[in-house]
Amino acid sequence: MPDVLDASPYDALLLLSFGGPEGPDDVVPFLENVTRGRGIPKERLKEVGQHYFLFGGVSPINDQNRALLDALRGDFADHGLDLPVYWGNRNWAPYLTDTLREMVRDGRRRILVLATSAYASYSGCRQYRENLADALATLEQEGLELPKIDKLRHYFNHPGFIEPMVDGVVRSLADLPEDVRDGAHIAFCTHSIPTSAADTSGPVEEHGDGGAYVRQHLDVAQVIADAVRERTGVDRPWQLVYQSRSGAPHIPWLEPDICDHLEERHAAGVPAVVMAPIGFVSDHMEVIYDLDTEATAKAGELGLPVRRSATVGADPRFAAAVRELIVERAVAERGQDVTPCALGALGASHDLCPVGCCPARAPRPAAAGADSPYA
C-alpha cells in the first residue's frame, strides 16, 4: 500500500446492509419489506416475527452498523484517509434510495460500496447490486445526476476479517470446562441457502457443487482451524454447518443444520462444541436467535457443553481491513499495480462481478458489475 492514503477517484463510502426493526411496531412492516412480492399473509409474518418480539421487537443489526460506522470513521481519521462514510439499508431506515439521494445532493460522484456480507451468493451480493440498480433507477426518474458506483470485493479471506474470528474461537475454547476443552469440536456456522443458489454462486467458471459460496466458507474454516491449532496446540475436528433456513420445505437447502449437527456430535460422544459463526459480520438476529437461543437450548437438552464465538462486528482490525480494501481498489482504479491481501488457498476475489455471477432466477438489472446498465 502507498505511504499516502489516497482514495481517489472515489469520494465516498456507502455501508450497505440488510436493516432491521427497532421496535415492536416495526416488525411486521420490516418483514413486509423483506418478503415483498412473495404474497405472504400478514398473519404468517406475525408468526415469523416472534423471533424479533422475543427481543422487544428490536434487531441488533442497526446498532451494530452504527458501531461499525463509528469504527470506520475513527480509523479513517486516524490514518489520514479523507473519505466520508454513509449508511443505507435494503429493508429498513435509513433506506438505500434515501441515502443515495443524500449522497448525490452532497456532490458525491464516485461511490464505493461495502456490503455487510463477506461471501459470494445471490442474497449476499447480487441482490444488493440489484437494490443499487433499483435505487439508481429511482434517482434517474427524479432527474438527478447519477453517481458511478463500485462494490468492494468479497473480503471473506482478508486477515482483518479472519483474525478476530480466530481470537473468538480461542477464547470460546478457553471458556469451556477444562475436562472437555481438548476434545471439543468446532462447528463453523453460516446461513443456509437453497442448494441451487449455492451451486450457481460466484463467477460462471466456479459454478458446480456448492459453488463459490461453499468453497469460500470451507477455505475460511480451514484457515481458522489451522490458526487455532497453532495457538492451542490441539488439532480439533471441525465441520461447516448451516442455520437460519427458511422457505418451502420441499426445496433443498444446504445441510447439515446446526441443531442436527449438535445431536449427531453428542451421539458420537463428542464432549463439547464451539459454534463459530463465520458467515456473519455481526451478532444480528440470525446469530442471537438461531445460535444463542435455539441451538444453545438444543445443546442444553442434550447435556452438551457449547460456546458461541464472537463475530467480527466493529473490531478495529476489520475497520482497518476496510480501509486497506478501499486503498487497494483506488490504486487499481488509477491503473497502478497493487497486491491484494488474502489468506487461504483461494486468493483475492474479483473487483468486478462478471456476467453470470450469482444469477437470479428472474433476471433483473444489477449495478456495480460487468453487466451493469449504469456504467
Side-chain angles (χ1 to χ4, degrees):
M1 291 295 177
D3 293 331
V4 177
L5 298 186
D6 182 3
S8 64
Y10 298 107
D11 56 19
L13 176 71
L14 168 62
L15 176 65
L16 177 55
S17 193
F18 193 81
E22 301 202 74
D25 293 341
D26 296 344
V27 172
V28 171
F30 162 74
L31 292 173
E32 288 175 332
N33 287 342
V34 173
T35 62
R36 180 166 286 118
R38 302 183 200 173
I40 299 177
K42 183 171 288 189
E43 290 307 311
R44 174 58 182 152
L45 295 180
K46 290 179 180 178
E47 293 175 15
V48 174
Q50 291 306 312
H51 295 181
Y52 291 95
F53 293 128
L54 287 174
F55 298 90
V58 178
S59 168
I61 194 170
N62 284 341
D63 278 345
Q64 290 161 7
N65 281 326
R66 293 182 182 103
L68 180 56
L69 284 169
D70 288 343
L72 292 172
R73 288 165 177 156
D75 178 273
F76 293 0
D78 290 345
H79 292 85
L81 180 62
D82 184 16
L83 194 71
V85 186
Y86 295 76
W87 170 34
N89 290 324
R90 285 173 48 191
N91 300 298
W92 202 250
Y95 288 103
L96 169 60
T97 300
D98 295 336
T99 300
L100 271 184
R101 186 183 296 111
E102 176 189 0
M103 297 177 80
V104 167
R105 289 173 174 167
D106 286 349
R108 312 304 175 191
R109 294 294 176 261
R110 289 295 305 271
I111 297 170
L112 265 176
V113 173
L114 167 68
T116 54
S117 176
Y119 300 85
S121 70
Y122 171 73
S123 57
C125 184
R126 185 175 178 89
Q127 192 170 14
Y128 282 98
R129 293 176 49 224
E130 292 175 351
N131 297 144
L132 285 166
D134 291 342
L136 288 170
T138 298
L139 299 189
E140 188 173 40
Q141 292 170 359
E142 295 173 357
L144 296 176
E145 182 179 353
L146 298 187
K148 185 179 187 312
I149 295 178
D150 291 322
K151 180 177 175 291
L152 286 172
R153 66 176 171 90
H154 301 299
Y155 47 83
F156 62 92
N157 55 3
H158 194 288
F161 185 67
I162 288 181
E163 289 166 1
M165 294 191 290
V166 173
D167 288 350
V169 173
V170 171
R171 285 195 298 268
S172 293
L173 287 165
D175 191 48
L176 284 167
E178 188 174 358
D179 60 332
V180 300
R181 188 177 303 149
D182 285 350
H185 286 208
I186 305 173
F188 292 107
C189 308
T190 192
H191 207 301
S192 184
I193 61 176
T195 56
S196 59
D199 293 345
T200 57
S201 58
V204 172
E205 62 271 17
E206 296 182 30
H207 292 180
D209 188 16
Y213 186 75
V214 171
R215 279 193 290 277
Q216 289 171 1
H217 280 88
L218 287 173
D219 197 47
V220 169
Q222 186 65 66
V223 171
I224 295 174
D226 290 346
V228 170
R229 183 188 66 246
E230 292 175 6
R231 293 265 297 271
T232 65
V234 179
D235 190 9
R236 291 176 173 81
W238 61 268
Q239 186 169 343
L240 179 63
V241 302
Y242 302 93
Q243 61 178 88
S244 312
R245 181 198 161 116
S246 61
H250 68 280
I251 297 175
W253 283 52
L254 293 173
E255 296 177 337
D257 177 78
I258 177 60
C259 290
D260 295 337
H261 177 71
L262 293 177
E263 288 185 338
E264 189 273 334
R265 292 294 81 198
H266 178 257
V270 172
V273 173
V274 167
M275 301 181 292
I278 62 172
F280 305 92
V281 172
S282 64
D283 289 4
H284 53 65
M285 186 58 68
E286 282 85 353
V287 176
I288 65 170
Y289 181 81
D290 294 332
L291 294 183
D292 294 354
T293 305
E294 191 173 51
T296 300
K298 171 58 70 175
E301 294 172 10
L302 298 169
L304 176 67
V306 294
R307 297 293 185 272
R308 197 269 290 175
S309 65
T311 53
V312 172
D315 189 286
R317 288 167 292 185
F318 182 49
V322 174
R323 166 173 40 87
E324 292 169 7
L325 289 166
I326 290 167
V327 176
E328 171 196 302
R329 182 62 179 273
V331 168
E333 284 294 305
R334 296 195 299 268
Q336 300 168 309
D337 291 334
V338 62
T339 301
C341 189
L343 300 176
L346 298 182
S349 184
H350 48 263
D351 277 337
L352 188 69
C353 292
V355 175
C357 196
C358 303
R361 285 180 295 177
R364 291 180 55 202
D371 56 353
S372 172
Y374 301 101

